Amino acid sequence: MKKEDCIFCKIVQGELPSRTIYEDGDFRVILDLKPVTRGHALILAREHADNLYELPEETAGKAMILARRLAGIFREKLHCDGLNLMQNNGEVAGQTVTHFHLHMIPRYEGDGQEINLVPGEATQEELEAVRKQITE
Ligand code: AMP
Ligand code: ZN
């Protein structure tokens, strides 16, 4: 279902312009307006879902299959050296557009970008406490 005032719903429906590189019944894939690298693309779900929590499981599976296919095309056509998939959920995680999207970020030697998440420390006890919290 389309959500009023959702910019990605409007893009998916063709009501707002985009540089579309792929379309099918479930997704529209567009170039990001502010690419972090050359070829930065967004896989947009056609049906509105705020985030991964709301996305139907079947669509989530299809999104990853599509990412796998596009990854090969990016490597062949853009000659990228690697690829980051990124998917943000919630403001705290950096989500700025509340409509499910999966970032495909081709990476190139010397592209100057970096992933800024800083590895932390955890004791074996802490790791075990987390494992229990998730699995019990
Ligand atoms: P996120 O921070 O994960 O919500 O990502 C939102 C992304 O959408 C950002 O990388 C923006 O540059 C991109 N974006 C926002 N508006 C548009 C638009 N109209 N067309 C293409 N990309 C957009
Ligand atoms: Zn939407």
Side-chain angles (χ1 to χ4, degrees):
M1 204 169 54
K2 186 183 148 193
K3 216 169 173 184
E4 298 306 322
D5 299 330
C6 172
I7 183 176
F8 282 179
C9 276
K10 291 194 170 101
I11 287 176
V12 157
Q13 310 278 334
E15 292 167 11
L16 278 179
S18 65
R19 297 278 173 194
T20 297
I21 59 170
Y22 174 84
E23 257 192 291
D24 64 22
D26 297 300
F27 304 101
R28 185 191 277 258
V29 185
I30 65 169
L31 293 183
D32 198 295
L33 265 188
K34 297 182 178 174
V36 300
T37 63
R38 190 165 188 273
H40 180 181
L42 303 171
I43 297 179
L44 310 184
R46 221 167 245 297
E47 290 291 318
H48 181 93
D50 277 359
N51 48 41
L52 185 64
Y53 302 109
E54 289 194 357
L55 193 70
E57 278 193 355
E58 194 189 345
T59 312
K62 286 178 177 173
M64 190 52 76
I65 291 167
L66 178 55
R68 166 73 180 81
R69 276 175 44 202
L70 290 172
I73 291 170
F74 280 19
R75 188 167 61 179
E76 184 190 331
K77 306 264 185 172
L78 296 176
H79 308 293
C80 52
D81 303 304
L83 176 79
N84 289 120
L85 291 185
M86 195 174 76
Q87 202 277 306
N88 302 325
N89 299 283
E91 215 176 314
V92 71
Q95 185 177 14
T96 59
V97 180
T98 315
H99 175 126
F100 175 86
H101 54 283
L102 178 58
H103 293 257
M104 296 198 58
I105 304 174
R107 299 303 304 270
Y108 306 89
E109 299 288 350
D111 63 24
Q113 293 288 358
E114 51 184 88
I115 308 270
N116 276 325
L117 298 176
V118 181
E121 305 280 341
T123 62
Q124 288 302 319
E125 290 73 25
E126 280 164 346
L127 292 177
E128 179 57 11
V130 174
R131 190 193 68 78
K132 277 194 174 143
Q133 192 174 345
I134 294 169
T135 57
E136 277 176 4

